[in-house]
Amino acid sequence: MREQRVASLIADEFPGEWGDQDAGDGLREAFVLRATNFIDGGLDYSSGARRFIPSIKVARKRLQRGDLILEAAGGGPGVPVGRVARFDPPDDRLYVVSNFFRTLRPATGTDPRFTHHLLDHLYRQPKIWEVQQQTTGIINLKVRDYLQIRVPVPPLEEQRRIAEILDTIDETIQATERVIAKL
């Protein structure tokens, strides 16, 4: 296993888009995912904000299955910014992330599920505090510094096995939580 920068796992990264409230020429309907869509274990797609985004921006910023969504602004007292979720939509609506987030498109030769688990683990480590910056009451992630953090990266086949195990554990936990909620 070798250590690599987070950036080596990412083919592309770009900021989100908020768009307009009203439809207009050259605008496409999109559902914008924001902080309220983050839930334990993933994303809630049911409450994405319906907005209208310029077509040229949609071409660049439309989320693709497997993309990672990185919280770049938010957090709060004792709560760092930098949560991450994997985009795995239940439908074929057009989604983008809000301007408080960054889209991370995993590089070819990496397993997006593994990268998601790795970045989720990074969020829970003390090191995440080193890439925080507070301005005007909002905590911002220093994205350039975040992408330079070194993380252990196994070969692709091992990434796949690790992701499969962690996904199974997550699914078991979620199923158990649903049973507990019913009781």
Side-chain angles (χ1 to χ4, degrees):
M1 185 169 336
R2 21 180 248 268
E3 279 205 351
Q4 296 176 223
R5 289 183 172 84
V6 169
S8 72
L9 302 170
I10 307 302
D12 196 11
E13 64 91 14
F14 46 89
E17 183 69 36
W18 183 236
D20 295 317
Q21 182 175 334
D22 300 315
D25 288 342
L27 300 177
R28 291 196 55 197
E29 179 184 58
F31 292 87
V32 180
L33 300 175
R34 48 211 162 134
T36 56
N37 297 102
F38 268 70
I39 56 172
D40 285 339
L43 292 166
D44 172 11
Y45 297 91
S46 67
S47 62
R50 183 174 175 252
R51 305 290 291 178
F52 295 90
I53 314 277
S55 296
I56 195 157
K57 289 185 177 183
V58 167
R60 166 90 171 108
K61 298 183 179 201
R62 179 181 194 155
L63 290 171
Q64 298 176 12
R65 188 174 302 277
D67 280 348
L68 302 176
I69 300 169
L70 175 66
E71 179 186 43
V79 179
V81 68
R83 293 179 297 169
V84 65
R86 187 174 67 235
F87 182 68
D88 188 19
D91 53 44
D92 33 339
R93 296 190 305 180
L94 191 155
Y95 291 93
V96 298
V97 295
S98 79
N99 47 350
F100 281 78
F101 291 85
R102 306 286 289 194
T103 298
L104 305 179
R105 189 147 292 149
T108 303
T110 64
D111 186 299
R113 299 169 309 146
F114 171 81
T115 304
H116 170 241
H117 288 295
L118 181 67
L119 297 182
D120 186 57
H121 175 73
L122 177 59
Y123 173 72
R124 299 168 197 287
Q125 301 307 306
K127 186 148 196 78
I128 197 70
W129 291 103
E130 296 173 17
V131 291
Q132 309 284 306
Q133 177 179 334
Q134 184 155 6
T135 60
T136 64
I138 294 177
I139 299 172
N140 294 305
L141 185 69
K142 296 188 283 186
V143 176
R144 281 187 176 23
D145 293 346
Y146 177 87
L147 293 173
Q148 296 308 307
I149 294 174
R150 298 187 73 77
V151 292
V153 180
L156 182 58
E157 279 308 310
E158 196 172 333
Q159 290 178 35
R160 289 179 178 142
R161 287 193 303 271
I162 291 168
E164 187 66 37
I165 291 166
L166 293 174
D167 284 350
T168 300
I169 291 169
D170 285 347
E171 290 165 8
T172 302
I173 290 169
Q174 290 171 13
T176 303
E177 288 173 344
R178 285 191 296 273
V179 168
I180 290 170
K182 285 182 183 178
L183 296 175

